[in-house]
mmCIF file of all heavy atoms in Angstrom:
data_model
loop_
_atom_site.group_PDB
_atom_site.id
_atom_site.type_symbol
_atom_site.label_atom_id
_atom_site.label_comp_id
_atom_site.label_asym_id
_atom_site.label_seq_id
_atom_site.Cartn_x
_atom_site.Cartn_y
_atom_site.Cartn_z
ATOM 1 N N VAL A 1 306.966 241.842 -55.119
ATOM 2 C CA VAL A 1 305.756 242.444 -54.630
ATOM 3 C C VAL A 1 306.040 243.278 -53.379
ATOM 4 O O VAL A 1 305.423 244.348 -53.176
ATOM 5 C CB VAL A 1 304.747 241.389 -54.430
ATOM 6 C CG1 VAL A 1 303.546 242.071 -53.762
ATOM 7 C CG2 VAL A 1 304.263 240.805 -55.709
ATOM 8 N N MET A 2 306.918 242.821 -52.474
ATOM 9 C CA MET A 2 307.165 243.581 -51.282
ATOM 10 C C MET A 2 308.539 243.190 -50.833
ATOM 11 O O MET A 2 308.992 242.138 -50.902
ATOM 12 C CB MET A 2 306.051 243.417 -50.167
ATOM 13 C CG MET A 2 306.094 242.108 -49.515
ATOM 14 S SD MET A 2 304.947 242.100 -48.035
ATOM 15 C CE MET A 2 306.031 243.099 -46.915
ATOM 16 N N GLN A 3 309.179 244.153 -50.148
ATOM 17 C CA GLN A 3 310.418 243.940 -49.360
ATOM 18 C C GLN A 3 310.089 243.704 -47.923
ATOM 19 O O GLN A 3 309.153 244.372 -47.360
ATOM 20 C CB GLN A 3 311.270 245.171 -49.505
ATOM 21 C CG GLN A 3 311.714 245.500 -51.014
ATOM 22 C CD GLN A 3 312.807 244.426 -51.475
ATOM 23 O OE1 GLN A 3 313.336 243.754 -50.746
ATOM 24 N NE2 GLN A 3 313.003 244.564 -52.832
ATOM 25 N N SER A 4 310.830 242.908 -47.292
ATOM 26 C CA SER A 4 310.525 242.501 -45.924
ATOM 27 C C SER A 4 311.779 242.547 -45.053
ATOM 28 O O SER A 4 312.847 242.320 -45.589
ATOM 29 C CB SER A 4 309.856 241.154 -45.782
ATOM 30 O OG SER A 4 309.668 240.746 -44.379
ATOM 31 N N GLU A 5 311.604 242.749 -43.803
ATOM 32 C CA GLU A 5 312.661 242.567 -42.904
ATOM 33 C C GLU A 5 312.158 242.366 -41.447
ATOM 34 O O GLU A 5 310.967 242.437 -41.247
ATOM 35 C CB GLU A 5 313.592 243.726 -42.710
ATOM 36 C CG GLU A 5 312.868 245.106 -42.285
ATOM 37 C CD GLU A 5 313.812 246.211 -42.218
ATOM 38 O OE1 GLU A 5 314.813 246.286 -41.329
ATOM 39 O OE2 GLU A 5 313.789 247.144 -43.077
ATOM 40 N N ALA A 6 312.809 242.084 -40.458
ATOM 41 C CA ALA A 6 312.323 241.851 -39.070
ATOM 42 C C ALA A 6 311.937 243.231 -38.491
ATOM 43 O O ALA A 6 312.674 244.112 -38.729
ATOM 44 C CB ALA A 6 313.452 241.331 -38.142
ATOM 45 N N VAL A 7 310.833 243.140 -37.814
ATOM 46 C CA VAL A 7 310.241 244.394 -37.280
ATOM 47 C C VAL A 7 309.831 244.174 -35.753
ATOM 48 O O VAL A 7 309.529 242.942 -35.407
ATOM 49 C CB VAL A 7 309.057 244.953 -38.042
ATOM 50 C CG1 VAL A 7 309.557 245.484 -39.378
ATOM 51 C CG2 VAL A 7 307.908 243.920 -38.186
ATOM 52 N N LEU A 8 309.743 245.107 -34.980
ATOM 53 C CA LEU A 8 309.300 245.044 -33.645
ATOM 54 C C LEU A 8 307.765 245.625 -33.734
ATOM 55 O O LEU A 8 307.595 246.667 -34.112
ATOM 56 C CB LEU A 8 310.091 245.864 -32.650
ATOM 57 C CG LEU A 8 309.635 245.967 -31.371
ATOM 58 C CD1 LEU A 8 309.667 244.691 -30.530
ATOM 59 C CD2 LEU A 8 310.479 246.919 -30.440
ATOM 60 N N VAL A 9 306.843 244.882 -33.419
ATOM 61 C CA VAL A 9 305.456 245.172 -33.492
ATOM 62 C C VAL A 9 304.849 245.193 -32.025
ATOM 63 O O VAL A 9 305.199 244.516 -31.134
ATOM 64 C CB VAL A 9 304.729 244.288 -34.395
ATOM 65 C CG1 VAL A 9 305.152 244.458 -35.803
ATOM 66 C CG2 VAL A 9 304.755 242.799 -34.031
ATOM 67 N N ALA A 10 303.760 245.910 -32.069
ATOM 68 C CA ALA A 10 303.036 246.002 -30.685
ATOM 69 C C ALA A 10 301.577 246.494 -31.001
ATOM 70 O O ALA A 10 301.222 246.936 -32.117
ATOM 71 C CB ALA A 10 303.678 247.068 -29.717
ATOM 72 N N PRO A 11 300.693 246.211 -30.002
ATOM 73 C CA PRO A 11 299.319 246.691 -30.212
ATOM 74 C C PRO A 11 299.226 248.178 -30.410
ATOM 75 O O PRO A 11 300.172 248.930 -30.086
ATOM 76 C CB PRO A 11 298.649 246.146 -28.989
ATOM 77 C CG PRO A 11 299.365 245.152 -28.401
ATOM 78 C CD PRO A 11 300.863 245.477 -28.813
ATOM 79 N N ALA A 12 298.067 248.709 -30.672
ATOM 80 C CA ALA A 12 297.958 250.156 -30.847
ATOM 81 C C ALA A 12 298.177 250.881 -29.558
ATOM 82 O O ALA A 12 298.657 251.930 -29.375
ATOM 83 C CB ALA A 12 296.482 250.431 -31.321
ATOM 84 N N ALA A 13 297.799 250.156 -28.523
ATOM 85 C CA ALA A 13 298.055 250.777 -27.135
ATOM 86 C C ALA A 13 298.599 249.641 -26.102
ATOM 87 O O ALA A 13 298.016 248.562 -26.230
ATOM 88 C CB ALA A 13 296.739 251.506 -26.612
ATOM 89 N N LEU A 14 299.357 250.144 -25.165
ATOM 90 C CA LEU A 14 299.862 249.310 -24.154
ATOM 91 C C LEU A 14 299.626 249.911 -22.702
ATOM 92 O O LEU A 14 299.450 251.191 -22.765
ATOM 93 C CB LEU A 14 301.291 248.956 -24.227
ATOM 94 C CG LEU A 14 301.716 247.894 -25.305
ATOM 95 C CD1 LEU A 14 303.254 247.934 -25.490
ATOM 96 C CD2 LEU A 14 301.323 246.567 -24.898
ATOM 97 N N GLN A 15 299.620 249.239 -21.743
ATOM 98 C CA GLN A 15 299.576 249.899 -20.450
ATOM 99 C C GLN A 15 300.774 250.805 -20.252
ATOM 100 O O GLN A 15 301.884 250.433 -20.784
ATOM 101 C CB GLN A 15 299.465 248.786 -19.256
ATOM 102 C CG GLN A 15 298.444 247.913 -19.328
ATOM 103 C CD GLN A 15 298.463 246.719 -18.310
ATOM 104 O OE1 GLN A 15 299.341 246.713 -17.517
ATOM 105 N NE2 GLN A 15 297.570 245.850 -18.368
ATOM 106 N N PRO A 16 300.674 251.869 -19.527
ATOM 107 C CA PRO A 16 301.775 252.842 -19.507
ATOM 108 C C PRO A 16 303.037 252.290 -19.035
ATOM 109 O O PRO A 16 304.144 252.601 -19.573
ATOM 110 C CB PRO A 16 301.179 253.920 -18.450
ATOM 111 C CG PRO A 16 299.717 253.789 -18.581
ATOM 112 C CD PRO A 16 299.419 252.405 -18.860
ATOM 113 N N ASP A 17 303.032 251.370 -18.136
ATOM 114 C CA ASP A 17 304.485 250.723 -17.538
ATOM 115 C C ASP A 17 304.950 249.880 -18.688
ATOM 116 O O ASP A 17 306.191 249.864 -18.855
ATOM 117 C CB ASP A 17 304.172 249.954 -16.290
ATOM 118 C CG ASP A 17 303.183 248.768 -16.419
ATOM 119 O OD1 ASP A 17 302.202 248.892 -17.216
ATOM 120 O OD2 ASP A 17 303.214 247.800 -15.731
ATOM 121 N N LYS A 18 304.195 249.171 -19.462
ATOM 122 C CA LYS A 18 304.748 248.244 -20.494
ATOM 123 C C LYS A 18 305.157 249.129 -21.685
ATOM 124 O O LYS A 18 306.072 248.932 -22.379
ATOM 125 C CB LYS A 18 303.649 247.357 -21.025
ATOM 126 C CG LYS A 18 303.256 246.300 -19.833
ATOM 127 C CD LYS A 18 302.328 245.225 -20.439
ATOM 128 C CE LYS A 18 301.853 244.269 -19.278
ATOM 129 N NZ LYS A 18 303.048 243.396 -18.930
ATOM 130 N N GLU A 19 304.466 250.313 -21.990
ATOM 131 C CA GLU A 19 304.869 251.174 -22.972
ATOM 132 C C GLU A 19 306.298 251.759 -22.644
ATOM 133 O O GLU A 19 307.232 252.019 -23.513
ATOM 134 C CB GLU A 19 303.893 252.343 -23.231
ATOM 135 C CG GLU A 19 304.098 253.101 -24.347
ATOM 136 C CD GLU A 19 303.842 252.394 -25.734
ATOM 137 O OE1 GLU A 19 302.861 251.822 -25.850
ATOM 138 O OE2 GLU A 19 304.741 252.539 -26.623
ATOM 139 N N ARG A 20 306.448 252.116 -21.359
ATOM 140 C CA ARG A 20 307.810 252.713 -20.960
ATOM 141 C C ARG A 20 308.908 251.550 -21.143
ATOM 142 O O ARG A 20 309.953 251.871 -21.548
ATOM 143 C CB ARG A 20 307.687 253.011 -19.389
ATOM 144 C CG ARG A 20 307.062 254.273 -19.193
ATOM 145 C CD ARG A 20 307.232 254.845 -17.822
ATOM 146 N NE ARG A 20 306.600 254.022 -16.815
ATOM 147 C CZ ARG A 20 305.365 254.177 -16.329
ATOM 148 N NH1 ARG A 20 304.610 255.171 -16.886
ATOM 149 N NH2 ARG A 20 304.898 253.380 -15.423
ATOM 150 N N ASP A 21 308.559 250.372 -20.807
ATOM 151 C CA ASP A 21 309.500 249.287 -20.893
ATOM 152 C C ASP A 21 309.875 249.028 -22.402
ATOM 153 O O ASP A 21 310.926 248.907 -22.768
ATOM 154 C CB ASP A 21 308.991 247.892 -20.417
ATOM 155 C CG ASP A 21 309.118 247.819 -18.971
ATOM 156 O OD1 ASP A 21 309.717 248.576 -18.358
ATOM 157 O OD2 ASP A 21 308.331 246.956 -18.313
ATOM 158 N N LEU A 22 308.884 249.222 -23.202
ATOM 159 C CA LEU A 22 309.053 249.048 -24.689
ATOM 160 C C LEU A 22 309.961 250.248 -25.199
ATOM 161 O O LEU A 22 310.835 249.980 -26.031
ATOM 162 C CB LEU A 22 307.773 249.103 -25.414
ATOM 163 C CG LEU A 22 307.696 248.814 -26.932
ATOM 164 C CD1 LEU A 22 308.297 247.474 -27.195
ATOM 165 C CD2 LEU A 22 306.284 248.973 -27.540
ATOM 166 N N ASP A 23 309.625 251.440 -24.670
ATOM 167 C CA ASP A 23 310.543 252.586 -25.156
ATOM 168 C C ASP A 23 311.995 252.258 -24.648
ATOM 169 O O ASP A 23 312.966 252.645 -25.443
ATOM 170 C CB ASP A 23 310.034 253.905 -24.490
ATOM 171 C CG ASP A 23 308.750 254.415 -25.072
ATOM 172 O OD1 ASP A 23 308.461 253.968 -26.212
ATOM 173 O OD2 ASP A 23 308.126 255.268 -24.431
ATOM 174 N N LYS A 24 312.172 251.715 -23.509
ATOM 175 C CA LYS A 24 313.610 251.466 -23.073
ATOM 176 C C LYS A 24 314.127 250.443 -24.005
ATOM 177 O O LYS A 24 315.472 250.549 -24.293
ATOM 178 C CB LYS A 24 313.640 250.906 -21.632
ATOM 179 C CG LYS A 24 313.184 252.041 -20.571
ATOM 180 C CD LYS A 24 313.102 251.349 -19.200
ATOM 181 C CE LYS A 24 312.645 252.358 -18.104
ATOM 182 N NZ LYS A 24 312.477 251.739 -16.775
ATOM 183 N N LEU A 25 313.489 249.397 -24.421
ATOM 184 C CA LEU A 25 313.989 248.445 -25.247
ATOM 185 C C LEU A 25 314.344 248.981 -26.554
ATOM 186 O O LEU A 25 315.516 248.731 -27.154
ATOM 187 C CB LEU A 25 312.916 247.254 -25.429
ATOM 188 C CG LEU A 25 313.432 246.006 -26.080
ATOM 189 C CD1 LEU A 25 314.600 245.261 -25.352
ATOM 190 C CD2 LEU A 25 312.279 245.038 -26.283
ATOM 191 N N CYS A 26 313.573 249.874 -27.139
ATOM 192 C CA CYS A 26 313.887 250.552 -28.397
ATOM 193 C C CYS A 26 315.005 251.306 -28.345
ATOM 194 O O CYS A 26 315.939 251.436 -29.308
ATOM 195 C CB CYS A 26 312.530 251.381 -28.831
ATOM 196 S SG CYS A 26 311.152 250.378 -29.283
ATOM 197 N N PHE A 27 315.255 252.027 -27.128
ATOM 198 C CA PHE A 27 316.447 252.868 -27.019
ATOM 199 C C PHE A 27 317.695 252.022 -27.150
ATOM 200 O O PHE A 27 318.641 252.409 -27.780
ATOM 201 C CB PHE A 27 316.379 253.544 -25.631
ATOM 202 C CG PHE A 27 317.599 254.389 -25.233
ATOM 203 C CD1 PHE A 27 317.771 255.579 -25.847
ATOM 204 C CD2 PHE A 27 318.462 253.773 -24.393
ATOM 205 C CE1 PHE A 27 318.949 256.313 -25.489
ATOM 206 C CE2 PHE A 27 319.655 254.562 -24.005
ATOM 207 C CZ PHE A 27 319.836 255.738 -24.540
ATOM 208 N N ARG A 28 317.687 250.844 -26.598
ATOM 209 C CA ARG A 28 318.843 249.963 -26.689
ATOM 210 C C ARG A 28 318.999 249.459 -28.119
ATOM 211 O O ARG A 28 320.126 249.395 -28.622
ATOM 212 C CB ARG A 28 318.636 248.779 -25.740
ATOM 213 C CG ARG A 28 318.608 249.121 -24.310
ATOM 214 C CD ARG A 28 318.916 247.885 -23.421
ATOM 215 N NE ARG A 28 318.652 248.235 -21.919
ATOM 216 C CZ ARG A 28 318.956 247.306 -20.979
ATOM 217 N NH1 ARG A 28 319.531 246.129 -21.307
ATOM 218 N NH2 ARG A 28 318.855 247.454 -19.722
ATOM 219 N N PHE A 29 317.893 249.128 -28.738
ATOM 220 C CA PHE A 29 318.071 248.564 -30.014
ATOM 221 C C PHE A 29 318.569 249.597 -30.998
ATOM 222 O O PHE A 29 319.315 249.330 -31.935
ATOM 223 C CB PHE A 29 316.674 248.040 -30.564
ATOM 224 C CG PHE A 29 316.258 246.791 -29.974
ATOM 225 C CD1 PHE A 29 314.954 246.267 -30.223
ATOM 226 C CD2 PHE A 29 317.056 245.950 -29.215
ATOM 227 C CE1 PHE A 29 314.406 244.997 -29.642
ATOM 228 C CE2 PHE A 29 316.635 244.807 -28.617
ATOM 229 C CZ PHE A 29 315.318 244.279 -28.928
#
């Protein structure tokens, strides 16, 4: 029915400083 794997999820919007931290983490990943 569906294929799955691990994903990084977040709310639709984060505070700007947390969004920047998330972007930095994604860059490393």
Side-chain angles (χ1 to χ4, degrees):
V1 173
M2 74 169 286
Q3 299 286 345
S4 181
E5 66 178 288
V7 292
L8 176 66
V9 295
L14 284 171
Q15 295 175 7
D17 59 331
K18 294 183 183 295
E19 191 70 48
R20 285 192 294 271
D21 285 342
L22 187 62
D23 288 343
K24 291 176 184 177
L25 191 63
C26 289
F27 175 77
R28 295 195 190 191
F29 286 173

